[in-house]
mmCIF file of all heavy atoms in Angstrom:
data_model
loop_
_atom_site.group_PDB
_atom_site.id
_atom_site.type_symbol
_atom_site.label_atom_id
_atom_site.label_comp_id
_atom_site.label_asym_id
_atom_site.label_seq_id
_atom_site.Cartn_x
_atom_site.Cartn_y
_atom_site.Cartn_z
ATOM 1 N N VAL S 19 20.461 -10.014 -27.431
ATOM 2 C CA VAL S 19 19.526 -9.649 -26.395
ATOM 3 C C VAL S 19 20.277 -9.729 -25.076
ATOM 4 O O VAL S 19 21.034 -10.698 -24.802
ATOM 5 C CB VAL S 19 18.335 -10.628 -26.327
ATOM 6 C CG1 VAL S 19 17.555 -10.555 -25.108
ATOM 7 C CG2 VAL S 19 17.466 -10.417 -27.537
ATOM 8 N N ALA S 20 20.093 -8.712 -24.210
ATOM 9 C CA ALA S 20 20.689 -8.728 -22.901
ATOM 10 C C ALA S 20 19.557 -8.676 -21.875
ATOM 11 O O ALA S 20 18.652 -7.767 -21.983
ATOM 12 C CB ALA S 20 21.615 -7.600 -22.645
ATOM 13 N N LEU S 21 19.475 -9.607 -20.939
ATOM 14 C CA LEU S 21 18.444 -9.665 -19.998
ATOM 15 C C LEU S 21 19.038 -9.390 -18.597
ATOM 16 O O LEU S 21 19.988 -9.997 -18.147
ATOM 17 C CB LEU S 21 17.802 -11.079 -19.980
ATOM 18 C CG LEU S 21 17.312 -11.583 -21.264
ATOM 19 C CD1 LEU S 21 16.602 -12.943 -21.166
ATOM 20 C CD2 LEU S 21 16.426 -10.552 -22.031
ATOM 21 N N VAL S 22 18.447 -8.351 -17.921
ATOM 22 C CA VAL S 22 18.947 -7.964 -16.614
ATOM 23 C C VAL S 22 17.931 -8.363 -15.548
ATOM 24 O O VAL S 22 16.801 -7.769 -15.468
ATOM 25 C CB VAL S 22 19.126 -6.430 -16.611
ATOM 26 C CG1 VAL S 22 19.684 -5.966 -15.288
ATOM 27 C CG2 VAL S 22 20.035 -5.977 -17.774
ATOM 28 N N GLY S 23 18.300 -9.211 -14.670
ATOM 29 C CA GLY S 23 17.481 -9.574 -13.512
ATOM 30 C C GLY S 23 16.189 -10.246 -13.859
ATOM 31 O O GLY S 23 15.151 -10.059 -13.155
ATOM 32 N N GLY S 24 16.182 -11.068 -14.921
ATOM 33 C CA GLY S 24 14.959 -11.837 -15.234
ATOM 34 C C GLY S 24 15.172 -12.784 -16.367
ATOM 35 O O GLY S 24 16.256 -12.863 -16.955
ATOM 36 N N PHE S 25 14.143 -13.569 -16.729
ATOM 37 C CA PHE S 25 14.140 -14.537 -17.739
ATOM 38 C C PHE S 25 12.919 -14.370 -18.582
ATOM 39 O O PHE S 25 11.841 -13.937 -18.077
ATOM 40 C CB PHE S 25 14.175 -15.898 -17.116
ATOM 41 C CG PHE S 25 15.392 -16.167 -16.241
ATOM 42 C CD1 PHE S 25 15.279 -15.957 -14.873
ATOM 43 C CD2 PHE S 25 16.575 -16.669 -16.768
ATOM 44 C CE1 PHE S 25 16.438 -16.132 -14.039
ATOM 45 C CE2 PHE S 25 17.662 -16.884 -15.907
ATOM 46 C CZ PHE S 25 17.555 -16.616 -14.584
ATOM 47 N N PRO S 26 12.910 -14.702 -19.862
ATOM 48 C CA PRO S 26 11.765 -14.662 -20.658
ATOM 49 C C PRO S 26 10.722 -15.637 -20.354
ATOM 50 O O PRO S 26 10.983 -16.855 -20.097
ATOM 51 C CB PRO S 26 12.292 -14.809 -22.078
ATOM 52 C CG PRO S 26 13.491 -15.617 -21.893
ATOM 53 C CD PRO S 26 14.100 -15.220 -20.563
ATOM 54 N N SER S 27 9.436 -15.227 -20.418
ATOM 55 C CA SER S 27 8.308 -16.160 -20.211
ATOM 56 C C SER S 27 8.231 -17.014 -21.481
ATOM 57 O O SER S 27 8.787 -16.698 -22.528
ATOM 58 C CB SER S 27 7.027 -15.468 -20.078
ATOM 59 O OG SER S 27 7.051 -14.729 -18.873
ATOM 60 N N THR S 28 7.523 -18.145 -21.369
ATOM 61 C CA THR S 28 7.368 -19.099 -22.546
ATOM 62 C C THR S 28 6.004 -18.765 -23.260
ATOM 63 O O THR S 28 5.129 -18.033 -22.720
ATOM 64 C CB THR S 28 7.323 -20.495 -22.076
ATOM 65 O OG1 THR S 28 6.343 -20.700 -21.079
ATOM 66 C CG2 THR S 28 8.685 -20.893 -21.458
ATOM 67 N N ASP S 29 5.876 -19.298 -24.380
ATOM 68 C CA ASP S 29 4.670 -19.067 -25.205
ATOM 69 C C ASP S 29 3.439 -19.552 -24.384
ATOM 70 O O ASP S 29 3.458 -20.622 -23.786
ATOM 71 C CB ASP S 29 4.704 -19.890 -26.488
ATOM 72 C CG ASP S 29 3.548 -19.699 -27.343
ATOM 73 O OD1 ASP S 29 3.312 -18.559 -27.877
ATOM 74 O OD2 ASP S 29 2.720 -20.652 -27.538
ATOM 75 N N GLY S 30 2.371 -18.738 -24.380
ATOM 76 C CA GLY S 30 1.148 -19.038 -23.713
ATOM 77 C C GLY S 30 1.064 -18.589 -22.268
ATOM 78 O O GLY S 30 -0.040 -18.647 -21.722
ATOM 79 N N GLN S 31 2.164 -18.157 -21.725
ATOM 80 C CA GLN S 31 2.151 -17.651 -20.324
ATOM 81 C C GLN S 31 1.660 -16.211 -20.278
ATOM 82 O O GLN S 31 1.866 -15.453 -21.155
ATOM 83 C CB GLN S 31 3.510 -17.737 -19.692
ATOM 84 C CG GLN S 31 3.995 -19.142 -19.363
ATOM 85 C CD GLN S 31 5.288 -19.135 -18.623
ATOM 86 O OE1 GLN S 31 6.155 -18.327 -18.919
ATOM 87 N NE2 GLN S 31 5.438 -19.946 -17.599
ATOM 88 N N PRO S 32 1.077 -15.832 -19.086
ATOM 89 C CA PRO S 32 0.889 -14.367 -18.891
ATOM 90 C C PRO S 32 2.261 -13.620 -18.879
ATOM 91 O O PRO S 32 3.238 -14.182 -18.396
ATOM 92 C CB PRO S 32 0.209 -14.310 -17.499
ATOM 93 C CG PRO S 32 -0.279 -15.698 -17.263
ATOM 94 C CD PRO S 32 0.651 -16.633 -17.948
ATOM 95 N N TYR S 33 2.173 -12.426 -19.337
ATOM 96 C CA TYR S 33 3.423 -11.605 -19.390
ATOM 97 C C TYR S 33 4.020 -11.361 -18.003
ATOM 98 O O TYR S 33 5.154 -11.616 -17.783
ATOM 99 C CB TYR S 33 3.150 -10.274 -20.078
ATOM 100 C CG TYR S 33 4.256 -9.298 -20.055
ATOM 101 C CD1 TYR S 33 5.455 -9.534 -20.682
ATOM 102 C CD2 TYR S 33 4.133 -8.096 -19.396
ATOM 103 C CE1 TYR S 33 6.543 -8.642 -20.577
ATOM 104 C CE2 TYR S 33 5.172 -7.156 -19.346
ATOM 105 C CZ TYR S 33 6.344 -7.437 -19.965
ATOM 106 O OH TYR S 33 7.376 -6.524 -19.894
ATOM 107 N N ALA S 34 3.224 -10.799 -17.086
ATOM 108 C CA ALA S 34 3.794 -10.446 -15.804
ATOM 109 C C ALA S 34 2.681 -10.314 -14.748
ATOM 110 O O ALA S 34 2.579 -9.289 -14.055
ATOM 111 C CB ALA S 34 4.603 -9.120 -15.903
ATOM 112 N N ASP S 35 1.857 -11.348 -14.590
ATOM 113 C CA ASP S 35 0.742 -11.273 -13.762
ATOM 114 C C ASP S 35 1.151 -11.638 -12.258
ATOM 115 O O ASP S 35 0.757 -12.659 -11.719
ATOM 116 C CB ASP S 35 -0.343 -12.297 -14.193
ATOM 117 C CG ASP S 35 -1.684 -12.082 -13.524
ATOM 118 O OD1 ASP S 35 -1.876 -10.953 -12.881
ATOM 119 O OD2 ASP S 35 -2.616 -12.877 -13.697
ATOM 120 N N PHE S 36 2.041 -10.793 -11.718
ATOM 121 C CA PHE S 36 2.700 -11.112 -10.455
ATOM 122 C C PHE S 36 1.916 -10.518 -9.234
ATOM 123 O O PHE S 36 2.128 -11.063 -8.145
ATOM 124 C CB PHE S 36 4.103 -10.496 -10.491
ATOM 125 C CG PHE S 36 4.912 -11.032 -11.617
ATOM 126 C CD1 PHE S 36 5.845 -10.205 -12.285
ATOM 127 C CD2 PHE S 36 4.892 -12.437 -12.066
ATOM 128 C CE1 PHE S 36 6.612 -10.612 -13.322
ATOM 129 C CE2 PHE S 36 5.606 -12.817 -13.121
ATOM 130 C CZ PHE S 36 6.544 -11.924 -13.686
ATOM 131 N N PHE S 37 1.286 -9.380 -9.438
ATOM 132 C CA PHE S 37 0.765 -8.686 -8.308
ATOM 133 C C PHE S 37 -0.714 -8.356 -8.536
ATOM 134 O O PHE S 37 -1.224 -8.418 -9.675
ATOM 135 C CB PHE S 37 1.511 -7.377 -8.044
ATOM 136 C CG PHE S 37 2.975 -7.629 -7.832
ATOM 137 C CD1 PHE S 37 3.966 -7.442 -8.808
ATOM 138 C CD2 PHE S 37 3.451 -8.120 -6.596
ATOM 139 C CE1 PHE S 37 5.299 -7.686 -8.595
ATOM 140 C CE2 PHE S 37 4.801 -8.358 -6.342
ATOM 141 C CZ PHE S 37 5.714 -8.139 -7.361
ATOM 142 N N GLU S 38 -1.414 -7.857 -7.498
ATOM 143 C CA GLU S 38 -2.836 -7.578 -7.572
ATOM 144 C C GLU S 38 -3.027 -6.396 -8.488
ATOM 145 O O GLU S 38 -2.285 -5.427 -8.482
ATOM 146 C CB GLU S 38 -3.335 -7.260 -6.170
ATOM 147 C CG GLU S 38 -4.813 -6.925 -6.054
ATOM 148 C CD GLU S 38 -5.206 -6.504 -4.642
ATOM 149 O OE1 GLU S 38 -4.390 -6.515 -3.739
ATOM 150 O OE2 GLU S 38 -6.457 -6.161 -4.506
ATOM 151 N N THR S 39 -4.148 -6.441 -9.222
ATOM 152 C CA THR S 39 -4.580 -5.317 -9.994
ATOM 153 C C THR S 39 -5.849 -4.703 -9.326
ATOM 154 O O THR S 39 -6.668 -5.461 -8.792
ATOM 155 C CB THR S 39 -4.904 -5.688 -11.457
ATOM 156 O OG1 THR S 39 -5.947 -6.734 -11.412
ATOM 157 C CG2 THR S 39 -3.690 -6.131 -12.179
ATOM 158 N N ARG S 40 -5.910 -3.411 -9.432
ATOM 159 C CA ARG S 40 -7.019 -2.667 -8.869
ATOM 160 C C ARG S 40 -7.466 -1.561 -9.795
ATOM 161 O O ARG S 40 -6.631 -0.859 -10.368
ATOM 162 C CB ARG S 40 -6.711 -2.062 -7.470
ATOM 163 C CG ARG S 40 -6.307 -3.028 -6.424
ATOM 164 C CD ARG S 40 -6.249 -2.443 -4.981
ATOM 165 N NE ARG S 40 -5.447 -1.239 -4.961
ATOM 166 C CZ ARG S 40 -4.125 -1.314 -4.599
ATOM 167 N NH1 ARG S 40 -3.571 -2.488 -4.329
ATOM 168 N NH2 ARG S 40 -3.327 -0.256 -4.527
ATOM 169 N N ASP S 41 -8.758 -1.461 -10.018
ATOM 170 C CA ASP S 41 -9.312 -0.404 -10.894
ATOM 171 C C ASP S 41 -8.566 -0.385 -12.269
ATOM 172 O O ASP S 41 -8.309 0.663 -12.824
ATOM 173 C CB ASP S 41 -9.141 0.933 -10.230
ATOM 174 C CG ASP S 41 -9.878 1.018 -8.880
ATOM 175 O OD1 ASP S 41 -11.011 0.428 -8.804
ATOM 176 O OD2 ASP S 41 -9.338 1.611 -7.920
ATOM 177 N N GLY S 42 -8.277 -1.527 -12.793
ATOM 178 C CA GLY S 42 -7.751 -1.658 -14.120
ATOM 179 C C GLY S 42 -6.297 -1.477 -14.306
ATOM 180 O O GLY S 42 -5.771 -1.369 -15.424
ATOM 181 N N VAL S 43 -5.469 -1.356 -13.108
ATOM 182 C CA VAL S 43 -4.085 -1.130 -13.167
ATOM 183 C C VAL S 43 -3.442 -2.072 -12.112
ATOM 184 O O VAL S 43 -4.023 -2.556 -11.210
ATOM 185 C CB VAL S 43 -3.686 0.263 -12.941
ATOM 186 C CG1 VAL S 43 -4.225 1.184 -14.089
ATOM 187 C CG2 VAL S 43 -4.142 0.742 -11.562
ATOM 188 N N MET S 44 -2.151 -2.364 -12.397
ATOM 189 C CA MET S 44 -1.337 -2.985 -11.386
ATOM 190 C C MET S 44 -0.354 -1.912 -10.763
ATOM 191 O O MET S 44 0.607 -1.519 -11.365
ATOM 192 C CB MET S 44 -0.503 -4.063 -12.031
ATOM 193 C CG MET S 44 0.455 -4.773 -11.089
ATOM 194 S SD MET S 44 1.503 -6.042 -11.855
ATOM 195 C CE MET S 44 0.298 -7.334 -12.159
ATOM 196 N N PRO S 45 -0.789 -1.450 -9.568
ATOM 197 C CA PRO S 45 0.056 -0.412 -8.928
ATOM 198 C C PRO S 45 1.342 -1.047 -8.276
ATOM 199 O O PRO S 45 1.358 -2.299 -8.041
ATOM 200 C CB PRO S 45 -0.812 0.195 -7.836
ATOM 201 C CG PRO S 45 -1.709 -0.956 -7.517
ATOM 202 C CD PRO S 45 -1.940 -1.766 -8.771
ATOM 203 N N PHE S 46 2.307 -0.213 -8.025
ATOM 204 C CA PHE S 46 3.505 -0.662 -7.346
ATOM 205 C C PHE S 46 3.072 -1.200 -5.973
ATOM 206 O O PHE S 46 2.433 -0.479 -5.216
ATOM 207 C CB PHE S 46 4.543 0.478 -7.251
ATOM 208 C CG PHE S 46 5.714 0.092 -6.406
ATOM 209 C CD1 PHE S 46 6.565 -0.909 -6.788
ATOM 210 C CD2 PHE S 46 6.016 0.850 -5.201
ATOM 211 C CE1 PHE S 46 7.733 -1.247 -6.056
ATOM 212 C CE2 PHE S 46 7.174 0.468 -4.486
ATOM 213 C CZ PHE S 46 7.964 -0.550 -4.907
ATOM 214 N N PRO S 47 3.437 -2.464 -5.613
ATOM 215 C CA PRO S 47 2.883 -3.005 -4.372
ATOM 216 C C PRO S 47 3.593 -2.634 -3.126
ATOM 217 O O PRO S 47 3.342 -3.108 -1.983
ATOM 218 C CB PRO S 47 3.056 -4.524 -4.597
ATOM 219 C CG PRO S 47 4.259 -4.603 -5.440
ATOM 220 C CD PRO S 47 4.238 -3.395 -6.383
ATOM 221 N N GLY S 48 4.565 -1.678 -3.125
ATOM 222 C CA GLY S 48 5.351 -1.349 -2.011
ATOM 223 C C GLY S 48 6.542 -2.225 -1.907
ATOM 224 O O GLY S 48 6.758 -3.131 -2.781
ATOM 225 N N TRP S 49 7.389 -2.103 -0.924
ATOM 226 C CA TRP S 49 8.692 -2.776 -0.833
ATOM 227 C C TRP S 49 8.599 -4.084 -0.159
ATOM 228 O O TRP S 49 9.577 -4.879 -0.216
ATOM 229 C CB TRP S 49 9.683 -1.825 -0.146
ATOM 230 C CG TRP S 49 10.055 -0.686 -0.966
ATOM 231 C CD1 TRP S 49 9.700 0.647 -0.819
ATOM 232 C CD2 TRP S 49 10.738 -0.710 -2.249
ATOM 233 N NE1 TRP S 49 10.098 1.379 -1.840
ATOM 234 C CE2 TRP S 49 10.826 0.635 -2.735
ATOM 235 C CE3 TRP S 49 11.370 -1.726 -2.961
ATOM 236 C CZ2 TRP S 49 11.403 0.919 -3.920
ATOM 237 C CZ3 TRP S 49 12.006 -1.418 -4.202
ATOM 238 C CH2 TRP S 49 12.054 -0.121 -4.589
ATOM 239 N N ASP S 50 7.484 -4.452 0.533
ATOM 240 C CA ASP S 50 7.479 -5.715 1.227
ATOM 241 C C ASP S 50 7.718 -6.916 0.304
ATOM 242 O O ASP S 50 8.531 -7.823 0.759
ATOM 243 C CB ASP S 50 6.104 -5.885 1.919
ATOM 244 C CG ASP S 50 5.992 -5.026 3.170
ATOM 245 O OD1 ASP S 50 6.983 -4.432 3.614
ATOM 246 O OD2 ASP S 50 4.814 -4.962 3.724
ATOM 247 N N PRO S 51 7.162 -7.011 -0.872
ATOM 248 C CA PRO S 51 7.491 -8.172 -1.714
ATOM 249 C C PRO S 51 8.926 -8.275 -2.154
ATOM 250 O O PRO S 51 9.353 -9.331 -2.623
ATOM 251 C CB PRO S 51 6.501 -8.009 -2.892
ATOM 252 C CG PRO S 51 5.479 -7.045 -2.480
ATOM 253 C CD PRO S 51 6.168 -6.122 -1.482
ATOM 254 N N PHE S 52 9.664 -7.179 -2.077
ATOM 255 C CA PHE S 52 11.049 -7.129 -2.597
ATOM 256 C C PHE S 52 12.081 -7.041 -1.430
ATOM 257 O O PHE S 52 13.230 -6.836 -1.720
ATOM 258 C CB PHE S 52 11.188 -5.921 -3.480
ATOM 259 C CG PHE S 52 10.226 -5.898 -4.601
ATOM 260 C CD1 PHE S 52 9.159 -4.988 -4.653
ATOM 261 C CD2 PHE S 52 10.268 -6.759 -5.672
ATOM 262 C CE1 PHE S 52 8.266 -4.957 -5.680
ATOM 263 C CE2 PHE S 52 9.365 -6.745 -6.736
ATOM 264 C CZ PHE S 52 8.361 -5.823 -6.722
ATOM 265 N N GLU S 53 11.683 -7.302 -0.206
ATOM 266 C CA GLU S 53 12.665 -7.307 0.838
ATOM 267 C C GLU S 53 13.685 -8.422 0.651
ATOM 268 O O GLU S 53 13.302 -9.498 0.190
ATOM 269 C CB GLU S 53 11.985 -7.348 2.202
ATOM 270 C CG GLU S 53 11.253 -6.095 2.678
ATOM 271 C CD GLU S 53 12.158 -4.849 2.652
ATOM 272 O OE1 GLU S 53 13.387 -4.999 3.029
ATOM 273 O OE2 GLU S 53 11.720 -3.816 2.245
ATOM 274 N N GLY S 54 14.915 -8.137 1.058
ATOM 275 C CA GLY S 54 15.932 -9.146 0.822
ATOM 276 C C GLY S 54 16.907 -8.676 -0.338
ATOM 277 O O GLY S 54 17.115 -7.591 -0.472
ATOM 278 N N PRO S 55 17.389 -9.744 -0.985
ATOM 279 C CA PRO S 55 18.410 -9.398 -1.989
ATOM 280 C C PRO S 55 17.909 -8.449 -3.102
ATOM 281 O O PRO S 55 18.765 -7.737 -3.727
ATOM 282 C CB PRO S 55 18.758 -10.779 -2.607
ATOM 283 C CG PRO S 55 18.385 -11.798 -1.516
ATOM 284 C CD PRO S 55 17.234 -11.146 -0.796
ATOM 285 N N ASP S 56 16.646 -8.444 -3.396
ATOM 286 C CA ASP S 56 16.093 -7.591 -4.449
ATOM 287 C C ASP S 56 16.432 -6.047 -4.130
ATOM 288 O O ASP S 56 16.807 -5.355 -5.074
ATOM 289 C CB ASP S 56 14.633 -7.720 -4.634
ATOM 290 C CG ASP S 56 14.180 -8.939 -5.353
ATOM 291 O OD1 ASP S 56 15.132 -9.610 -5.864
ATOM 292 O OD2 ASP S 56 12.978 -9.217 -5.419
ATOM 293 N N SER S 57 16.229 -5.658 -2.890
ATOM 294 C CA SER S 57 16.308 -4.236 -2.577
ATOM 295 C C SER S 57 17.339 -3.917 -1.536
ATOM 296 O O SER S 57 17.340 -2.718 -1.089
ATOM 297 C CB SER S 57 14.900 -3.787 -2.068
ATOM 298 O OG SER S 57 14.577 -4.478 -0.904
ATOM 299 N N ALA S 58 18.215 -4.825 -1.172
ATOM 300 C CA ALA S 58 19.146 -4.608 -0.088
ATOM 301 C C ALA S 58 20.064 -3.408 -0.290
ATOM 302 O O ALA S 58 20.540 -2.763 0.620
ATOM 303 C CB ALA S 58 19.927 -5.866 0.214
ATOM 304 N N ASP S 59 20.300 -3.104 -1.593
ATOM 305 C CA ASP S 59 21.247 -2.066 -1.927
ATOM 306 C C ASP S 59 20.542 -0.754 -2.197
ATOM 307 O O ASP S 59 21.260 0.256 -2.554
ATOM 308 C CB ASP S 59 22.126 -2.463 -3.140
ATOM 309 C CG ASP S 59 21.340 -2.670 -4.396
ATOM 310 O OD1 ASP S 59 20.112 -2.981 -4.297
ATOM 311 O OD2 ASP S 59 21.891 -2.566 -5.496
ATOM 312 N N LEU S 60 19.295 -0.637 -1.955
ATOM 313 C CA LEU S 60 18.536 0.629 -2.175
ATOM 314 C C LEU S 60 18.516 1.383 -0.902
ATOM 315 O O LEU S 60 17.925 0.842 0.100
ATOM 316 C CB LEU S 60 17.135 0.308 -2.699
ATOM 317 C CG LEU S 60 17.005 -0.356 -4.063
ATOM 318 C CD1 LEU S 60 15.561 -0.614 -4.339
ATOM 319 C CD2 LEU S 60 17.568 0.532 -5.183
ATOM 320 N N ASP S 61 18.957 2.623 -0.879
ATOM 321 C CA ASP S 61 18.818 3.403 0.353
ATOM 322 C C ASP S 61 17.393 3.985 0.394
ATOM 323 O O ASP S 61 16.594 3.928 -0.547
ATOM 324 C CB ASP S 61 19.868 4.493 0.422
ATOM 325 C CG ASP S 61 19.879 5.472 -0.774
ATOM 326 O OD1 ASP S 61 18.809 5.687 -1.350
ATOM 327 O OD2 ASP S 61 20.970 6.046 -1.095
ATOM 328 N N GLU S 62 17.106 4.611 1.544
ATOM 329 C CA GLU S 62 15.744 5.113 1.752
ATOM 330 C C GLU S 62 15.359 6.194 0.746
ATOM 331 O O GLU S 62 14.152 6.274 0.299
ATOM 332 C CB GLU S 62 15.541 5.604 3.151
ATOM 333 C CG GLU S 62 15.531 4.508 4.290
ATOM 334 C CD GLU S 62 14.455 3.502 4.003
ATOM 335 O OE1 GLU S 62 13.350 3.923 3.578
ATOM 336 O OE2 GLU S 62 14.748 2.284 4.093
ATOM 337 N N GLU S 63 16.298 7.036 0.375
ATOM 338 C CA GLU S 63 15.987 8.110 -0.622
ATOM 339 C C GLU S 63 15.667 7.469 -1.920
ATOM 340 O O GLU S 63 14.669 7.890 -2.562
ATOM 341 C CB GLU S 63 17.228 9.002 -0.751
ATOM 342 C CG GLU S 63 16.998 10.131 -1.746
ATOM 343 C CD GLU S 63 18.225 10.958 -1.984
ATOM 344 O OE1 GLU S 63 19.261 10.798 -1.289
ATOM 345 O OE2 GLU S 63 18.249 11.806 -2.913
#
């Protein structure tokens, strides 16, 4: 197993309940939550 940029959750935890859900889906929340090291190497395009 190779894990890139993350760690596995433990038994009994939610899979990825990180952001708000609306109308039954979790949309991309925009770049604000990822400012800093997460997205520093991403250009505007």
Side-chain angles (χ1 to χ4, degrees):
V19 169
L21 308 184
V22 181
F25 301 91
S27 298
T28 57
D29 182 65
Q31 286 187 321
Y33 171 63
D35 194 12
F36 304 141
F37 303 101
E38 179 184 359
T39 56
R40 299 194 302 270
D41 301 322
V43 296
M44 178 182 285
F46 176 61
W49 291 109
D50 285 349
F52 303 107
E53 286 304 323
D56 282 354
S57 62
D59 61 337
L60 296 176
D61 59 28
E62 288 304 318
E63 179 184 354

